[in-house]
Amino acid sequence: MNYKVPRGTQDILPGQSEKWQKVEEIIRQLCQVYRYQEIRTPIFEQTELFQRSVGDTTDIVQKEMYTFKDRGDRSLTLRPEGTAAVVRSYVEHKMFGQPDQPVKLSYIGPMFRYERQQAGRYRQFVQFGVEAIGSKDPAIDAEVIALAMDVYETAGLKNLKLVINSLGDADVRAAHRDALIKHFEPHIDDFCSDCQNRLEKNPLRILDCKVDRENPLMATAPALTDYLNEESAAYFEAVKKYLDVLGITYVVDPNLVRGLDYYNHTTFEIMSTATDLGAITTLCGGGRYNGLVEQIGGPESPGIGFAMSIERLLLALEAEGRSLDTDNALDMYIVAMDDQAKLKAVELASSFRAKGISTELDYASRKVKAQMKSADRLGAKWVIVLGESELEEQAANVKNMELGSQEKVPFHDLVNYLTKHKVQ
Ligand code: HAM
């Protein structure tokens, strides 16, 4: 049998995994600074949760979910996104009762969508996301956007474009919906069957159809911004003002509708403008979802959040030709010349590692020369060679591979010596 990773998934191998760890470290640090505490929810949820929140007429729910029955005949779905589960948890654990609102949460974990595989689009991908639930202060919208930008900038990305829009409130959506129906109805036969279904159920979804993207009616469709009422417009203005204060530049795109149903008011995407990235340029998407908590059974608790995949962040870095500062250095390689020396090598390695000195040794009974080559390949900072004379003297020559120098150090003093020199 010739087994391969399932289509749309990937193995993250050593060499690559250090980059993931670095990005995760940046994310953890920034979440700590912005105060978004980590939440971990299950990988699968009741199917209905996604149908209700992401929306029955969305591509995600209609075409992309990994849904299955468990042995108790319950319909479960591998999570295609994180917001629904976080909101479910917010309601289930009555976080709305906490004195400090909004509750600010973050998550990193695998999401699953049955999508056509291409560069930047996977069937299993890892999203980092945040949700701030329990406030409709426009300043929190700006904070959430600032955090997303900060992650990219700290990772080293320069070619970024922030696009924002407002979808307004329920009244705005209703007026826009009627205008969309009027716009598309006379020509709906030219559209795909999904769009035909969407016309009555959710005409906004027609605007993000991947099949009919090129239809000229798409470009001339009524823009939501033209229907914004006073309150929604004022809210959007306030968000922009806060972004200005934060020195974050943005472009307003009235066609940014996003592919999930729970959004209203602020929506945003961060794109990469790197020329080498390929067709998929959206790195991050998010927005406000006032009403979602109520829909899932909680009291009024307006929320906003975003999600970004680590895969696309790394692809964008690659496209910009930037590398992450990963730390995978080997401190010490112990070469053992015979079985007696090997015993000592194992003992010393354990005492080094206990002090945080990364240590490697030979497990293939190789000759000294081959072990030295290994030490070189692994980029060891120091090497010690243990043989009969070292055991007799209870001391070893610590070779500094970078400087080409060496110093004789008694065994009992090695840990001290290495610890002292490691920080220099
Ligand atoms: P989304 O736009 O569906 O929004 O996904 C957000 C991000 O997840 C995308 O911008 C992209 O970075 C990544 N992503 C989505 N699908 C794939 C894929 N197939 N392969 C690789 N990366 C992918 C949401 O998921 C919302 N829950 C975001 C949100 C949070 N809104 C409010 N709070």
Side-chain angles (χ1 to χ4, degrees):
M1 266 307 251
N2 203 356
Y3 295 113
K4 293 208 162 118
V5 287
R7 183 186 288 267
T9 69
Q10 57 176 343
D11 295 323
I12 293 151
L13 303 177
Q16 192 68 9
S17 57
E18 292 81 2
K19 295 181 192 166
W20 281 73
Q21 287 168 1
K22 183 71 197 178
V23 171
E24 285 159 7
E25 191 188 309
I26 291 170
I27 286 169
R28 293 222 162 83
Q29 265 171 9
L30 285 172
C31 281
Q32 149 70 16
V33 175
Y34 281 77
R35 309 299 301 168
Y36 285 75
Q37 288 180 293
E38 192 187 9
I39 179 166
R40 301 187 190 198
T41 62
I43 300 286
F44 55 82
E45 297 274 347
Q46 288 167 42
T47 301
E48 211 192 311
L49 176 70
F50 300 115
Q51 288 168 336
R52 286 205 51 139
S53 54
V54 174
D56 267 337
T57 53
T58 58
D59 269 0
I60 294 180
V61 169
Q62 287 198 335
K63 302 179 188 165
E64 298 171 1
M65 294 208 303
Y66 283 89
T67 298
F68 59 96
K69 284 265 173 76
D70 74 0
R71 286 169 195 273
D73 213 28
R74 297 172 199 91
S75 179
L76 298 171
T77 294
L78 298 185
R79 59 182 185 189
E81 60 104 50
T83 311
V86 171
V87 168
R88 189 235 352 108
S89 184
Y90 178 88
V91 173
E92 187 170 345
H93 298 284
K94 299 190 172 53
M95 290 185 224
F96 45 79
Q98 291 177 10
D100 289 311
Q101 301 287 326
V103 174
K104 305 203 301 185
L105 302 164
S106 65
Y107 50 90
I108 305 183
M111 307 290 161
F112 305 85
R113 295 184 194 177
Y114 189 82
E115 292 198 86
R116 201 167 59 78
Q117 185 190 7
Q118 66 183 104
R121 183 168 281 150
Y122 304 90
R123 292 183 176 171
Q124 176 175 332
F125 54 97
V126 173
Q127 268 188 353
F128 156 56
V130 308
E131 313 295 346
I133 313 174
S135 165
K136 55 176 181 207
D137 183 337
I140 193 81
D141 299 38
E143 176 180 287
V144 159
I145 293 172
L147 172 52
M149 292 298 285
D150 215 345
V151 168
Y152 291 131
E153 280 161 10
T154 308
L157 285 175
K158 300 259 185 281
N159 302 324
L160 297 166
K161 184 167 111 181
L162 168 65
V163 181
I164 60 171
N165 189 25
S166 171
L167 301 184
D169 58 19
D171 293 344
V172 176
R173 300 282 293 265
H176 183 235
R177 184 194 141 93
D178 291 346
L180 284 174
I181 294 177
K182 254 196 218 129
H183 178 76
F184 285 115
E185 201 167 27
H187 310 278
I188 197 65
D189 291 345
D190 302 339
F191 285 75
C192 72
S193 59
D194 283 330
C195 282
Q196 294 178 11
N197 280 328
R198 286 163 177 154
L199 184 70
E200 288 300 327
K201 284 195 197 145
N202 194 353
L204 192 67
R205 286 279 79 85
I206 295 177
L207 295 180
D208 55 28
C209 176
K210 289 170 191 135
V211 181
D212 291 315
R213 206 196 310 243
E214 301 301 328
N215 189 308
L217 282 186
M218 291 293 209
T220 53
L224 238 160
T225 14
D226 295 337
Y227 293 82
L228 283 193
N229 51 28
E230 225 172 273
E231 205 189 322
S232 301
Y235 190 88
F236 194 37
E237 282 312 307
V239 173
K240 290 195 269 184
K241 238 186 236 159
Y242 281 115
L243 289 174
D244 292 339
V245 163
L246 291 168
I248 296 174
T249 37
Y250 52 83
V251 178
V252 176
D253 178 357
N255 291 322
L256 180 71
V257 293
R258 310 269 306 123
L260 302 93
D261 274 354
Y262 47 62
Y263 291 118
N264 43 57
H265 289 287
T266 318
T267 54
F268 65 96
E269 285 187 356
I270 300 170
M271 341 275 275
S272 167
T273 53
T275 41
D276 284 351
L277 191 58
I280 293 184
T281 55
T282 303
L283 303 181
C284 172
R288 183 159 273 289
Y289 45 83
N290 300 353
L292 181 58
V293 172
E294 291 96 304
Q295 211 180 326
I296 289 179
E300 188 186 340
S301 318
I304 178 157
F306 69 74
M308 61 172 72
S309 66
I310 312 297
E311 287 85 351
R312 288 194 193 168
L313 190 165
L314 291 173
L315 284 172
L317 278 173
E318 220 172 276
E320 285 196 22
R322 295 181 208 286
S323 55
L324 286 160
D325 202 4
T326 54
D327 179 22
N328 187 30
L330 173 61
D331 295 322
M332 166 64 82
Y333 192 101
I334 309 178
V335 175
M337 294 173 77
D338 54 34
D339 289 352
Q340 272 314 105
K342 177 76 172 280
L343 279 173
K344 192 70 197 172
V346 167
E347 186 195 321
L348 286 175
S350 158
S351 64
F352 297 164
R353 288 166 178 165
K355 289 287 178 221
I357 295 157
S358 64
T359 307
E360 192 55 285
L361 41 142
D362 169 73
Y363 294 107
S365 308
R366 288 173 302 179
K367 298 246 158 46
V368 171
K369 211 168 148 197
Q371 294 188 43
M372 288 301 291
K373 269 198 183 147
S374 251
D376 225 23
R377 258 197 312 273
L378 298 171
K381 180 175 176 189
W382 294 297
V383 172
I384 55 177
V385 180
L386 301 181
E388 237 174 82
S389 60
E390 283 78 13
L391 293 187
E392 221 163 78
E393 283 184 57
Q394 291 288 296
N397 274 321
V398 179
K399 280 195 193 133
N400 185 319
M401 303 294 275
E402 283 159 26
L403 306 176
S405 59
Q406 58 179 28
E407 210 170 320
K408 192 173 233 174
V409 183
F411 284 166
H412 67 81
D413 208 25
L414 272 171
V415 168
N416 264 343
Y417 176 89
L418 298 177
T419 317
K420 205 171 99 201
H421 288 78
K422 187 174 152 81
V423 288
Q424 282 172 356

